[in-house]
Amino acid sequence: MIDRGKYDRTVTLHCPTCGGTDFKYEAETAHEDSALITCPSCGLTITKSDLIASNGENIDAHLDEVKAEVMQDITKSLRDAFKGNKFIKLK
């Protein structure tokens, strides 16, 4: 059985202007894509969706890492499940 919690990740978002990682935002609108987020280092104000889009490469890199781990674990689980079976062979 695959442990789902094993694949949890925290991706640090970076300011597209200065690279800062600390942001200010209104807590009650934080879940909305249109929420305004401000970088205290450079003063940039950007929407949450734009901040996520500007960090797309970083997010994709973490996603690729998780995908690779999942594939390794699934392959291992299948190999273990069919170990010793003379009719099914996995490459």
Side-chain angles (χ1 to χ4, degrees):
M1 181 66 87
I2 295 176
D3 178 19
R4 291 182 186 185
K6 175 182 176 183
Y7 308 110
D8 290 348
R9 297 287 188 277
T10 299
V11 178
T12 302
L13 301 179
H14 298 274
C15 173
T17 303
C18 70
T21 58
D22 293 324
F23 299 97
K24 292 183 181 179
Y25 54 90
E26 297 293 325
E28 54 273 356
T29 62
H31 64 279
E32 299 174 14
D33 286 342
S34 61
L36 291 178
I37 297 173
T38 303
C39 175
S41 298
C42 68
L44 174 72
T45 299
I46 189 171
T47 64
K48 178 181 174 182
S49 61
D50 288 341
L51 180 62
I52 291 170
S54 69
N55 281 269
E57 191 173 310
N58 184 23
I59 293 168
D60 288 343
H62 282 275
L63 183 59
D64 290 342
E65 187 178 293
V66 171
K67 284 179 187 178
E69 286 181 30
V70 169
M71 287 303 295
Q72 286 176 346
D73 289 348
I74 289 172
T75 301
K76 184 182 180 309
S77 293
L78 287 172
R79 285 188 194 282
D80 291 346
F82 294 111
K83 188 183 242 178
N85 187 317
K86 61 183 177 180
F87 299 107
I88 299 174
K89 300 223 186 242
L90 298 174
K91 292 183 181 185

